[in-house]
PDB file of all heavy atoms in Angstrom:
ATOM      1  N   VAL A   1     -76.851 -22.626 -55.323  1.00 94.00           N
ATOM      2  CA  VAL A   1     -76.308 -23.633 -56.228  1.00 94.00           C
ATOM      3  C   VAL A   1     -75.939 -24.871 -55.406  1.00 94.00           C
ATOM      4  O   VAL A   1     -75.245 -24.772 -54.395  1.00 94.00           O
ATOM      5  CB  VAL A   1     -75.056 -23.111 -56.969  1.00 94.00           C
ATOM      6  CG1 VAL A   1     -74.477 -24.191 -57.875  1.00 94.00           C
ATOM      7  CG2 VAL A   1     -75.403 -21.864 -57.772  1.00 94.00           C
ATOM      8  N   THR A   2     -76.441 -26.021 -55.836  1.00 94.00           N
ATOM      9  CA  THR A   2     -76.079 -27.287 -55.193  1.00 94.00           C
ATOM     10  C   THR A   2     -75.055 -27.979 -56.086  1.00 94.00           C
ATOM     11  O   THR A   2     -75.300 -28.190 -57.277  1.00 94.00           O
ATOM     12  CB  THR A   2     -77.303 -28.186 -54.989  1.00 94.00           C
ATOM     13  OG1 THR A   2     -78.270 -27.465 -54.230  1.00 94.00           O
ATOM     14  CG2 THR A   2     -76.924 -29.462 -54.259  1.00 94.00           C
ATOM     15  N   MET A   3     -73.914 -28.289 -55.488  1.00 94.00           N
ATOM     16  CA  MET A   3     -72.840 -28.960 -56.212  1.00 94.00           C
ATOM     17  C   MET A   3     -72.812 -30.424 -55.788  1.00 94.00           C
ATOM     18  O   MET A   3     -72.900 -30.734 -54.588  1.00 94.00           O
ATOM     19  CB  MET A   3     -71.506 -28.285 -55.913  1.00 94.00           C
ATOM     20  CG  MET A   3     -71.477 -26.849 -56.399  1.00 94.00           C
ATOM     21  SD  MET A   3     -70.321 -25.825 -55.491  1.00 94.00           S
ATOM     22  CE  MET A   3     -70.955 -25.905 -53.846  1.00 94.00           C
ATOM     23  N   TYR A   4     -72.695 -31.309 -56.767  1.00 95.00           N
ATOM     24  CA  TYR A   4     -72.659 -32.750 -56.518  1.00 95.00           C
ATOM     25  C   TYR A   4     -71.300 -33.296 -56.942  1.00 95.00           C
ATOM     26  O   TYR A   4     -70.793 -32.972 -58.016  1.00 95.00           O
ATOM     27  CB  TYR A   4     -73.758 -33.470 -57.314  1.00 95.00           C
ATOM     28  CG  TYR A   4     -75.144 -33.030 -56.931  1.00 95.00           C
ATOM     29  CD1 TYR A   4     -75.818 -32.084 -57.688  1.00 95.00           C
ATOM     30  CD2 TYR A   4     -75.764 -33.554 -55.804  1.00 95.00           C
ATOM     31  CE1 TYR A   4     -77.095 -31.683 -57.334  1.00 95.00           C
ATOM     32  CE2 TYR A   4     -77.040 -33.147 -55.445  1.00 95.00           C
ATOM     33  CZ  TYR A   4     -77.701 -32.220 -56.222  1.00 95.00           C
ATOM     34  OH  TYR A   4     -78.962 -31.812 -55.875  1.00 95.00           O
ATOM     35  N   ASP A   5     -70.736 -34.133 -56.098  1.00 96.00           N
ATOM     36  CA  ASP A   5     -69.467 -34.804 -56.372  1.00 96.00           C
ATOM     37  C   ASP A   5     -69.744 -36.301 -56.286  1.00 96.00           C
ATOM     38  O   ASP A   5     -70.057 -36.828 -55.223  1.00 96.00           O
ATOM     39  CB  ASP A   5     -68.423 -34.370 -55.338  1.00 96.00           C
ATOM     40  CG  ASP A   5     -67.020 -34.787 -55.693  1.00 96.00           C
ATOM     41  OD1 ASP A   5     -66.777 -35.150 -56.862  1.00 96.00           O
ATOM     42  OD2 ASP A   5     -66.166 -34.769 -54.789  1.00 96.00           O
ATOM     43  N   HIS A   6     -69.679 -36.982 -57.424  1.00 97.00           N
ATOM     44  CA  HIS A   6     -70.098 -38.372 -57.552  1.00 97.00           C
ATOM     45  C   HIS A   6     -68.896 -39.227 -57.934  1.00 97.00           C
ATOM     46  O   HIS A   6     -68.241 -38.959 -58.936  1.00 97.00           O
ATOM     47  CB  HIS A   6     -71.185 -38.431 -58.638  1.00 97.00           C
ATOM     48  CG  HIS A   6     -71.710 -39.785 -58.929  1.00 97.00           C
ATOM     49  ND1 HIS A   6     -71.887 -40.235 -60.191  1.00 97.00           N
ATOM     50  CD2 HIS A   6     -72.098 -40.791 -58.122  1.00 97.00           C
ATOM     51  CE1 HIS A   6     -72.370 -41.461 -60.169  1.00 97.00           C
ATOM     52  NE2 HIS A   6     -72.500 -41.814 -58.916  1.00 97.00           N
ATOM     53  N   HIS A   7     -68.617 -40.263 -57.129  1.00 97.00           N
ATOM     54  CA  HIS A   7     -67.519 -41.193 -57.403  1.00 97.00           C
ATOM     55  C   HIS A   7     -68.094 -42.600 -57.473  1.00 97.00           C
ATOM     56  O   HIS A   7     -68.877 -42.995 -56.597  1.00 97.00           O
ATOM     57  CB  HIS A   7     -66.467 -41.141 -56.287  1.00 97.00           C
ATOM     58  CG  HIS A   7     -65.870 -39.792 -56.113  1.00 97.00           C
ATOM     59  ND1 HIS A   7     -64.739 -39.403 -56.793  1.00 97.00           N
ATOM     60  CD2 HIS A   7     -66.250 -38.740 -55.366  1.00 97.00           C
ATOM     61  CE1 HIS A   7     -64.447 -38.162 -56.451  1.00 97.00           C
ATOM     62  NE2 HIS A   7     -65.352 -37.730 -55.592  1.00 97.00           N
ATOM     63  N   SER A   8     -67.713 -43.341 -58.508  1.00 98.00           N
ATOM     64  CA  SER A   8     -68.229 -44.700 -58.614  1.00 98.00           C
ATOM     65  C   SER A   8     -67.184 -45.639 -59.208  1.00 98.00           C
ATOM     66  O   SER A   8     -66.279 -45.222 -59.930  1.00 98.00           O
ATOM     67  CB  SER A   8     -69.500 -44.741 -59.464  1.00 98.00           C
ATOM     68  OG  SER A   8     -69.218 -44.405 -60.807  1.00 98.00           O
ATOM     69  N   ILE A   9     -67.342 -46.898 -58.859  1.00 98.00           N
ATOM     70  CA  ILE A   9     -66.580 -47.986 -59.457  1.00 98.00           C
ATOM     71  C   ILE A   9     -67.583 -49.101 -59.704  1.00 98.00           C
ATOM     72  O   ILE A   9     -68.452 -49.355 -58.871  1.00 98.00           O
ATOM     73  CB  ILE A   9     -65.422 -48.463 -58.545  1.00 98.00           C
ATOM     74  CG1 ILE A   9     -64.645 -49.627 -59.204  1.00 98.00           C
ATOM     75  CG2 ILE A   9     -65.913 -48.838 -57.160  1.00 98.00           C
ATOM     76  CD1 ILE A   9     -63.386 -50.039 -58.436  1.00 98.00           C
ATOM     77  N   GLY A  10     -67.492 -49.714 -60.853  1.00 98.00           N
ATOM     78  CA  GLY A  10     -68.408 -50.808 -61.156  1.00 98.00           C
ATOM     79  C   GLY A  10     -67.880 -51.650 -62.295  1.00 98.00           C
ATOM     80  O   GLY A  10     -67.082 -51.185 -63.108  1.00 98.00           O
ATOM     81  N   GLY A  11     -68.304 -52.904 -62.305  1.00 98.00           N
ATOM     82  CA  GLY A  11     -67.888 -53.789 -63.382  1.00 98.00           C
ATOM     83  C   GLY A  11     -68.203 -55.240 -63.068  1.00 98.00           C
ATOM     84  O   GLY A  11     -68.935 -55.549 -62.128  1.00 98.00           O
ATOM     85  N   ARG A  12     -67.616 -56.122 -63.847  1.00 98.00           N
ATOM     86  CA  ARG A  12     -67.904 -57.547 -63.717  1.00 98.00           C
ATOM     87  C   ARG A  12     -66.693 -58.295 -63.162  1.00 98.00           C
ATOM     88  O   ARG A  12     -65.559 -57.840 -63.270  1.00 98.00           O
ATOM     89  CB  ARG A  12     -68.318 -58.134 -65.061  1.00 98.00           C
ATOM     90  CG  ARG A  12     -67.178 -58.252 -66.052  1.00 98.00           C
ATOM     91  CD  ARG A  12     -67.650 -58.873 -67.380  1.00 98.00           C
ATOM     92  NE  ARG A  12     -66.541 -59.060 -68.282  1.00 98.00           N
ATOM     93  CZ  ARG A  12     -66.015 -58.139 -69.062  1.00 98.00           C
ATOM     94  NH1 ARG A  12     -66.511 -56.920 -69.063  1.00 98.00           N
ATOM     95  NH2 ARG A  12     -65.005 -58.416 -69.846  1.00 98.00           N
ATOM     96  N   TYR A  13     -66.983 -59.445 -62.616  1.00 98.00           N
ATOM     97  CA  TYR A  13     -65.935 -60.349 -62.153  1.00 98.00           C
ATOM     98  C   TYR A  13     -65.802 -61.491 -63.153  1.00 98.00           C
ATOM     99  O   TYR A  13     -66.799 -62.089 -63.559  1.00 98.00           O
ATOM    100  CB  TYR A  13     -66.262 -60.893 -60.762  1.00 98.00           C
ATOM    101  CG  TYR A  13     -66.032 -59.875 -59.681  1.00 98.00           C
ATOM    102  CD1 TYR A  13     -67.034 -58.984 -59.318  1.00 98.00           C
ATOM    103  CD2 TYR A  13     -64.808 -59.783 -59.040  1.00 98.00           C
ATOM    104  CE1 TYR A  13     -66.820 -58.030 -58.340  1.00 98.00           C
ATOM    105  CE2 TYR A  13     -64.585 -58.825 -58.056  1.00 98.00           C
ATOM    106  CZ  TYR A  13     -65.593 -57.958 -57.711  1.00 98.00           C
ATOM    107  OH  TYR A  13     -65.381 -57.013 -56.742  1.00 98.00           O
ATOM    108  N   GLU A  14     -64.573 -61.765 -63.540  1.00 96.00           N
ATOM    109  CA  GLU A  14     -64.294 -62.860 -64.459  1.00 96.00           C
ATOM    110  C   GLU A  14     -64.302 -64.186 -63.696  1.00 96.00           C
ATOM    111  O   GLU A  14     -64.282 -64.212 -62.462  1.00 96.00           O
ATOM    112  CB  GLU A  14     -62.933 -62.646 -65.131  1.00 96.00           C
ATOM    113  CG  GLU A  14     -62.821 -61.356 -65.925  1.00 96.00           C
ATOM    114  CD  GLU A  14     -63.704 -61.321 -67.165  1.00 96.00           C
ATOM    115  OE1 GLU A  14     -64.195 -62.383 -67.606  1.00 96.00           O
ATOM    116  OE2 GLU A  14     -63.917 -60.224 -67.698  1.00 96.00           O
ATOM    117  N   ASP A  15     -64.303 -65.296 -64.428  1.00 94.00           N
ATOM    118  CA  ASP A  15     -64.308 -66.615 -63.801  1.00 94.00           C
ATOM    119  C   ASP A  15     -63.103 -66.838 -62.894  1.00 94.00           C
ATOM    120  O   ASP A  15     -63.186 -67.584 -61.920  1.00 94.00           O
ATOM    121  CB  ASP A  15     -64.365 -67.721 -64.867  1.00 94.00           C
ATOM    122  CG  ASP A  15     -65.735 -67.789 -65.543  1.00 94.00           C
ATOM    123  OD1 ASP A  15     -66.727 -67.340 -64.926  1.00 94.00           O
ATOM    124  OD2 ASP A  15     -65.803 -68.291 -66.681  1.00 94.00           O
ATOM    125  N   ASP A  16     -61.987 -66.176 -63.207  1.00 95.00           N
ATOM    126  CA  ASP A  16     -60.788 -66.333 -62.375  1.00 95.00           C
ATOM    127  C   ASP A  16     -60.802 -65.412 -61.146  1.00 95.00           C
ATOM    128  O   ASP A  16     -59.854 -65.374 -60.372  1.00 95.00           O
ATOM    129  CB  ASP A  16     -59.519 -66.099 -63.189  1.00 95.00           C
ATOM    130  CG  ASP A  16     -59.377 -64.665 -63.697  1.00 95.00           C
ATOM    131  OD1 ASP A  16     -60.248 -63.814 -63.411  1.00 95.00           O
ATOM    132  OD2 ASP A  16     -58.376 -64.385 -64.386  1.00 95.00           O
ATOM    133  N   GLY A  17     -61.901 -64.646 -60.970  1.00 92.00           N
ATOM    134  CA  GLY A  17     -62.031 -63.762 -59.820  1.00 92.00           C
ATOM    135  C   GLY A  17     -61.522 -62.352 -60.055  1.00 92.00           C
ATOM    136  O   GLY A  17     -61.694 -61.477 -59.201  1.00 92.00           O
ATOM    137  N   SER A  18     -60.896 -62.101 -61.196  1.00 95.00           N
ATOM    138  CA  SER A  18     -60.390 -60.753 -61.473  1.00 95.00           C
ATOM    139  C   SER A  18     -61.557 -59.812 -61.788  1.00 95.00           C
ATOM    140  O   SER A  18     -62.625 -60.236 -62.228  1.00 95.00           O
ATOM    141  CB  SER A  18     -59.388 -60.773 -62.625  1.00 95.00           C
ATOM    142  OG  SER A  18     -60.014 -61.215 -63.821  1.00 95.00           O
ATOM    143  N   PHE A  19     -61.332 -58.539 -61.539  1.00 97.00           N
ATOM    144  CA  PHE A  19     -62.361 -57.513 -61.728  1.00 97.00           C
ATOM    145  C   PHE A  19     -62.081 -56.730 -62.994  1.00 97.00           C
ATOM    146  O   PHE A  19     -60.950 -56.292 -63.234  1.00 97.00           O
ATOM    147  CB  PHE A  19     -62.371 -56.572 -60.516  1.00 97.00           C
ATOM    148  CG  PHE A  19     -63.365 -55.458 -60.631  1.00 97.00           C
ATOM    149  CD1 PHE A  19     -64.713 -55.699 -60.456  1.00 97.00           C
ATOM    150  CD2 PHE A  19     -62.949 -54.169 -60.909  1.00 97.00           C
ATOM    151  CE1 PHE A  19     -65.641 -54.669 -60.558  1.00 97.00           C
ATOM    152  CE2 PHE A  19     -63.865 -53.130 -61.006  1.00 97.00           C
ATOM    153  CZ  PHE A  19     -65.212 -53.394 -60.835  1.00 97.00           C
ATOM    154  N   ARG A  20     -63.094 -56.533 -63.808  1.00 98.00           N
ATOM    155  CA  ARG A  20     -63.001 -55.729 -65.030  1.00 98.00           C
ATOM    156  C   ARG A  20     -64.037 -54.622 -64.926  1.00 98.00           C
ATOM    157  O   ARG A  20     -65.231 -54.874 -65.014  1.00 98.00           O
ATOM    158  CB  ARG A  20     -63.292 -56.573 -66.271  1.00 98.00           C
ATOM    159  CG  ARG A  20     -62.370 -57.740 -66.458  1.00 98.00           C
ATOM    160  CD  ARG A  20     -60.992 -57.277 -66.919  1.00 98.00           C
ATOM    161  NE  ARG A  20     -60.095 -58.399 -67.065  1.00 98.00           N
ATOM    162  CZ  ARG A  20     -59.100 -58.692 -66.246  1.00 98.00           C
ATOM    163  NH1 ARG A  20     -58.856 -57.935 -65.206  1.00 98.00           N
ATOM    164  NH2 ARG A  20     -58.335 -59.722 -66.444  1.00 98.00           N
ATOM    165  N   GLY A  21     -63.567 -53.395 -64.700  1.00 98.00           N
ATOM    166  CA  GLY A  21     -64.523 -52.319 -64.516  1.00 98.00           C
ATOM    167  C   GLY A  21     -63.941 -50.950 -64.788  1.00 98.00           C
ATOM    168  O   GLY A  21     -62.827 -50.812 -65.298  1.00 98.00           O
ATOM    169  N   THR A  22     -64.705 -49.955 -64.406  1.00 98.00           N
ATOM    170  CA  THR A  22     -64.348 -48.559 -64.641  1.00 98.00           C
ATOM    171  C   THR A  22     -64.711 -47.732 -63.417  1.00 98.00           C
ATOM    172  O   THR A  22     -65.700 -48.005 -62.746  1.00 98.00           O
ATOM    173  CB  THR A  22     -65.126 -48.008 -65.860  1.00 98.00           C
ATOM    174  OG1 THR A  22     -64.856 -48.834 -66.984  1.00 98.00           O
ATOM    175  CG2 THR A  22     -64.737 -46.572 -66.177  1.00 98.00           C
ATOM    176  N   CYS A  23     -63.889 -46.735 -63.149  1.00 98.00           N
ATOM    177  CA  CYS A  23     -64.200 -45.721 -62.146  1.00 98.00           C
ATOM    178  C   CYS A  23     -64.663 -44.467 -62.879  1.00 98.00           C
ATOM    179  O   CYS A  23     -64.191 -44.170 -63.967  1.00 98.00           O
ATOM    180  CB  CYS A  23     -62.961 -45.369 -61.318  1.00 98.00           C
ATOM    181  SG  CYS A  23     -62.418 -46.670 -60.222  1.00 98.00           S
ATOM    182  N   TRP A  24     -65.582 -43.757 -62.263  1.00 98.00           N
ATOM    183  CA  TRP A  24     -66.048 -42.479 -62.800  1.00 98.00           C
ATOM    184  C   TRP A  24     -66.002 -41.433 -61.697  1.00 98.00           C
ATOM    185  O   TRP A  24     -66.370 -41.714 -60.554  1.00 98.00           O
ATOM    186  CB  TRP A  24     -67.493 -42.582 -63.298  1.00 98.00           C
ATOM    187  CG  TRP A  24     -67.631 -43.289 -64.598  1.00 98.00           C
ATOM    188  CD1 TRP A  24     -67.801 -44.630 -64.797  1.00 98.00           C
ATOM    189  CD2 TRP A  24     -67.591 -42.693 -65.893  1.00 98.00           C
ATOM    190  NE1 TRP A  24     -67.880 -44.898 -66.139  1.00 98.00           N
ATOM    191  CE2 TRP A  24     -67.755 -43.728 -66.833  1.00 98.00           C
ATOM    192  CE3 TRP A  24     -67.444 -41.384 -66.349  1.00 98.00           C
ATOM    193  CZ2 TRP A  24     -67.773 -43.496 -68.202  1.00 98.00           C
ATOM    194  CZ3 TRP A  24     -67.466 -41.155 -67.710  1.00 98.00           C
ATOM    195  CH2 TRP A  24     -67.632 -42.205 -68.624  1.00 98.00           C
ATOM    196  N   THR A  25     -65.564 -40.255 -62.059  1.00 97.00           N
ATOM    197  CA  THR A  25     -65.639 -39.090 -61.184  1.00 97.00           C
ATOM    198  C   THR A  25     -66.430 -38.039 -61.952  1.00 97.00           C
ATOM    199  O   THR A  25     -66.046 -37.648 -63.055  1.00 97.00           O
ATOM    200  CB  THR A  25     -64.239 -38.548 -60.830  1.00 97.00           C
ATOM    201  OG1 THR A  25     -63.510 -39.592 -60.190  1.00 97.00           O
ATOM    202  CG2 THR A  25     -64.330 -37.353 -59.921  1.00 97.00           C
ATOM    203  N   THR A  26     -67.545 -37.619 -61.356  1.00 97.00           N
ATOM    204  CA  THR A  26     -68.431 -36.672 -62.034  1.00 97.00           C
ATOM    205  C   THR A  26     -68.780 -35.538 -61.087  1.00 97.00           C
ATOM    206  O   THR A  26     -69.119 -35.777 -59.930  1.00 97.00           O
ATOM    207  CB  THR A  26     -69.723 -37.376 -62.497  1.00 97.00           C
ATOM    208  OG1 THR A  26     -69.381 -38.461 -63.358  1.00 97.00           O
ATOM    209  CG2 THR A  26     -70.654 -36.419 -63.216  1.00 97.00           C
ATOM    210  N   GLN A  27     -68.667 -34.318 -61.577  1.00 96.00           N
ATOM    211  CA  GLN A  27     -69.112 -33.145 -60.831  1.00 96.00           C
ATOM    212  C   GLN A  27     -70.256 -32.512 -61.617  1.00 96.00           C
ATOM    213  O   GLN A  27     -70.187 -32.414 -62.844  1.00 96.00           O
ATOM    214  CB  GLN A  27     -67.989 -32.105 -60.662  1.00 96.00           C
ATOM    215  CG  GLN A  27     -66.945 -32.476 -59.628  1.00 96.00           C
ATOM    216  CD  GLN A  27     -65.891 -33.401 -60.186  1.00 96.00           C
ATOM    217  OE1 GLN A  27     -65.539 -33.324 -61.357  1.00 96.00           O
ATOM    218  NE2 GLN A  27     -65.383 -34.290 -59.356  1.00 96.00           N
ATOM    219  N   SER A  28     -71.288 -32.118 -60.887  1.00 95.00           N
ATOM    220  CA  SER A  28     -72.413 -31.438 -61.527  1.00 95.00           C
ATOM    221  C   SER A  28     -72.948 -30.370 -60.585  1.00 95.00           C
ATOM    222  O   SER A  28     -72.625 -30.349 -59.397  1.00 95.00           O
ATOM    223  CB  SER A  28     -73.513 -32.441 -61.908  1.00 95.00           C
ATOM    224  OG  SER A  28     -73.978 -33.127 -60.764  1.00 95.00           O
TER     225      SER A  28
END
């Protein structure tokens, strides 16, 4: 059995430089 642990953060930057995004933690 191969177990995968996946962590990500992604999103957009607003005109004022702030970040709007989401983190995901996924195990499969």
Side-chain angles (χ1 to χ4, degrees):
V1 178
T2 304
M3 297 155 299
Y4 298 98
D5 192 16
H6 179 225
H7 301 270
S8 66
I9 179 173
R12 71 179 184 278
Y13 285 88
E14 301 293 344
D15 289 336
D16 65 1
S18 62
F19 178 75
R20 301 287 179 253
T22 304
C23 290
W24 284 89
T25 301
T26 302
Q27 285 83 33
S28 59

